[in-house]
Amino acid sequence: MLSIKHKMTIHVVATILILAISFMVATGIQFKKTAVLAAVTKAESDIAMGLALLDAKYPGSWHVENDFLYKGQVRMNNNNEIVDFISSLTGDTCTIFMANTRVATTIMKETGERAIGTHSSDMVAKKVLSEGAEYRGEAEVVGEKYQTAYNPLYDEKGNIVGMFYVGISKKFFDKMFYDSLLSLLIVGVVLTALVFLGTLYFSQRVIIGPLKILTAETQKFAKGDFCSLSMPVEKESKNEIVELAKSINQMGEWVQALSHQINLATGKTSKDFGVEAGQKTEIIPEQENLLKKSVAVLKGSWDEQLPKGLNEVTLQQILTYLMNNDGSLSVSEIAEEIKLTKVTVRRYLDYLEKCGMVKVDMQYGPVGRPLKLYTLVRSDPI
């Protein structure tokens, strides 16, 4: 059976992984769409610049003469100077087509030669040459995928005589995309690890750690070891574990007090309360007056109600011990003798001091904090 720690770890890891993978997939898809749009937008801009450069360098209309493509008076077949220049400015591949045949291009064959005389894809030829439309998007160029832009070239009569092309190799585009995705993945893994470690530390410190302490302390409780029962409680905290610790502390006090009452009811006493077994405790009028005063406090006839967390039986238990022991006592001495925790005893002594039923003296040593010594007030302060 898995422990809460292991269950929480598995749950946290699974949740973080699902969120991280979902985020990376969604981001990757969106990034790819954005990258494609950026490539198409660049191609759109570059083809407009290329056409403007052609018009500026070679004034005149496009036309075919003797199976050669001309721009004005300049023959464009094998005029690689202009496509190389446009390519150097844009970083794109660049081609001039006569109909669907490349007559000047920066595209290279596998042999390292320019792809002069090769043809465009049928899809592009149909779109641009047959329909007279511009083409934007992915297309196959000499056996390789490119993000492309094609524009038709018109002669003076408005007939389409060729195409002008710019494009970005999909290999280059994919490499740029996957490099960016890898960087995103590395950042995502690092952030996921940091979130996981932070969550694990938080759960260990705030949940698992306190639960382990509660488990160890309640095991003492189950064995009847009430003396050492004391849950660590942060006064400023308001979470459920702190409230549970307070409740267990109070339950321990009630069980201790109930055990004391049972001993009293059965005629048994203990040296833990300052009286030898079998010895009768003599209550003088002064002690009886203080006990009556404590009852008055608890019953509400005193000038203030008993604070939350204090109970009548434990208060009587501490008062009884103080009455049967003269002199000044420290919290540790009282707690050790009556088998209550120092935290519990200190709360009750603070309240008794507030009510004027005990006085506090400070004992200063050469080093460290001064020691508080408590003495029962033997006369009615009212």
Side-chain angles (χ1 to χ4, degrees):
M1 182 177 179
L2 294 175
S3 65
I4 292 179
K5 178 181 179 180
H6 291 148
K7 288 180 180 178
M8 286 189 63
T9 302
I10 292 172
H11 178 74
V12 168
V13 170
T15 301
I16 292 176
L17 284 177
I18 291 172
L19 289 175
I21 292 171
S22 300
F23 172 76
M24 289 183 204
V25 169
T27 303
I29 293 172
Q30 186 59 41
F31 181 77
K32 187 171 184 178
K33 289 181 179 178
T34 303
V36 169
L37 180 60
V40 172
T41 302
K42 182 180 184 305
E44 182 80 41
S45 173
D46 292 345
I47 198 170
M49 184 182 72
L51 288 170
L53 284 172
L54 284 167
D55 287 336
K57 187 172 179 62
Y58 307 117
S61 63
W62 294 94
H63 62 279
V64 176
E65 185 178 331
N66 297 326
D67 292 329
F68 291 103
L69 180 67
Y70 286 83
K71 179 73 165 70
Q73 301 300 318
V74 179
R75 191 169 72 178
M76 305 307 295
N77 295 63
N78 294 308
N79 187 353
N80 296 313
E81 179 184 353
I82 186 61
V83 292
D84 287 343
F85 178 65
I86 294 171
S87 180
S88 68
L89 293 177
T90 62
D92 304 335
T93 54
C94 181
T95 299
I96 298 173
F97 289 85
M98 183 176 68
N100 70 335
T101 302
R102 292 178 179 87
V103 295
T105 185
T106 59
I107 299 291
M108 299 293 179
K109 297 179 182 179
E110 292 182 356
T111 58
E113 299 176 346
R114 294 181 188 265
I116 302 294
T118 57
H119 302 290
S120 67
S121 67
D122 293 338
M123 175 185 67
V124 171
K126 180 181 178 182
K127 182 77 172 178
V128 180
L129 298 175
S130 299
E131 299 177 8
E134 296 176 351
Y135 179 86
R136 304 289 185 266
E138 187 176 302
E140 186 174 313
V141 179
V142 192
E144 187 177 328
K145 296 290 185 180
Y146 282 75
Q147 288 293 334
T148 67
Y150 289 83
N151 272 25
L153 301 177
Y154 295 92
D155 63 14
E156 290 180 338
K157 297 179 181 180
N159 298 316
I160 299 174
V161 295
M163 299 182 293
F164 180 65
Y165 150 91
V166 295
I168 305 171
S169 172
K170 196 168 185 300
K171 286 183 179 179
F172 173 79
F173 169 79
D174 286 345
K175 183 179 184 304
M176 181 177 63
F177 168 71
Y178 288 117
D179 285 347
S180 300
L181 195 61
L182 180 61
S183 299
L184 177 65
L185 179 63
I186 292 173
V187 172
V189 168
V190 171
L191 289 177
T192 300
L194 291 175
V195 171
F196 169 71
L197 292 175
T199 304
L200 200 62
Y201 173 78
F202 176 81
S203 62
Q204 179 67 32
R205 181 178 178 84
V206 177
I207 300 175
I208 303 301
L211 283 178
K212 283 184 176 180
I213 296 174
L214 286 175
T215 301
E217 295 295 331
T218 50
Q219 285 174 349
K220 295 178 184 178
F221 189 94
K223 295 176 181 178
D225 184 6
F226 304 124
C227 178
S228 59
L229 184 66
S230 180
M231 307 296 167
V233 176
E234 298 179 15
K235 294 182 179 180
E236 301 301 323
S237 299
K238 298 294 183 181
N239 62 56
E240 290 80 359
I241 294 180
V242 170
E243 293 300 321
L244 177 61
K246 290 179 180 178
S247 298
I248 294 177
N249 277 336
Q250 291 177 8
M251 183 171 64
E253 292 174 19
W254 277 102
V255 172
Q256 293 171 13
L258 180 61
S259 175
H260 175 61
Q261 289 294 91
I262 291 173
N263 286 336
L264 293 178
T266 56
K268 297 179 180 180
T269 59
S270 170
K271 64 181 179 180
D272 293 332
F273 302 103
V275 183
E276 294 294 332
Q279 179 181 351
K280 185 176 180 181
T281 303
E282 182 178 351
I283 305 296
I284 60 176
E286 180 180 277
Q287 296 171 339
E288 186 176 359
N289 182 47
L290 286 173
L291 286 173
K292 286 180 180 180
K293 180 185 291 186
S294 69
V295 172
V297 171
L298 298 167
K299 297 301 183 183
S301 58
W302 189 246
D303 59 355
E304 58 179 304
Q305 294 291 329
L306 193 67
K308 183 179 178 181
L310 303 185
N311 64 77
E312 177 183 352
V313 176
T314 304
L315 183 59
Q316 293 276 5
Q317 187 177 354
I318 293 173
L319 279 170
T320 301
Y321 178 75
L322 290 172
M323 290 174 185
N324 288 303
N325 289 272
D326 293 327
S328 299
L329 301 169
S330 67
V331 171
S332 299
E333 292 172 329
I334 299 171
E336 182 179 355
E337 289 298 325
I338 64 177
K339 304 304 179 186
L340 289 172
T341 64
K342 289 189 287 186
V343 174
T344 299
V345 171
R346 188 177 291 107
R347 289 207 321 268
Y348 283 90
L349 288 174
D350 289 343
Y351 181 70
L352 290 173
E353 179 188 0
K354 178 181 176 182
C355 295
M357 300 171 72
V358 296
K359 65 177 181 178
V360 182
D361 295 314
M362 306 297 289
Q363 184 181 68
Y364 293 90
V367 293
R369 295 181 179 180
L371 178 66
K372 283 188 176 183
L373 297 176
Y374 295 85
T375 306
L376 186 66
V377 176
R378 295 292 180 176
S379 60
D380 194 339
I382 298 181

